[in-house]
Amino acid sequence: MFLGFSIFKVEGNSMSPTVPDQSYVFARKVKSSIAKESLLIINHINYGKILKKLVKVDDNKKFWFEGENFSSISKEMIGPIKFENIIGKIVFVIKS
């Protein structure tokens, strides 16, 4: 972490064209509410650290995500994510 930001290298096309493969993203810890369509790094139990777009918050306060590319896993495969598994919100992208 540098000045409150975490830096991640993106591997894969699941968020392309918004965030192409081999891009770098800067993320900042989320402290309160998250807007729909936000790009977030999440820590997934099966997939590890992944970058996805927030598409829904359900009645149980669980977060649902999906990718932007057909090559991405589905929101059903990702499943509901707890707030504590959100690493950070993307605030800047350096495209490859």
Side-chain angles (χ1 to χ4, degrees), residues 14-79:
S14 71
M15 293 303 295
S16 184
T18 303
V19 184
D21 183 31
Q22 303 302 307
S23 296
Y24 288 89
V25 295
F26 290 71
R28 183 167 248 169
K29 185 72 178 155
V30 177
K31 296 180 182 169
S32 59
S33 65
I34 307 167
K36 192 173 172 185
E37 303 290 315
S38 294
L39 300 181
L40 297 129
I41 300 283
I42 58 176
N43 191 17
H44 194 277
I45 192 166
N46 296 323
Y47 302 111
K49 290 181 181 84
I50 57 175
L51 168 61
K52 298 295 174 197
K53 177 174 58 174
L54 177 63
V55 293
K56 176 176 127 178
V57 180
D58 66 23
D59 294 336
N60 296 317
K61 305 287 190 239
K62 298 283 174 71
F63 297 81
W64 292 82
F65 295 88
E66 67 184 12
E68 292 191 335
N69 191 289
F70 69 91
S71 68
S72 179
I73 55 177
S74 69
K75 99 176 146 193
E76 290 77 21
M77 290 177 71
I78 296 169

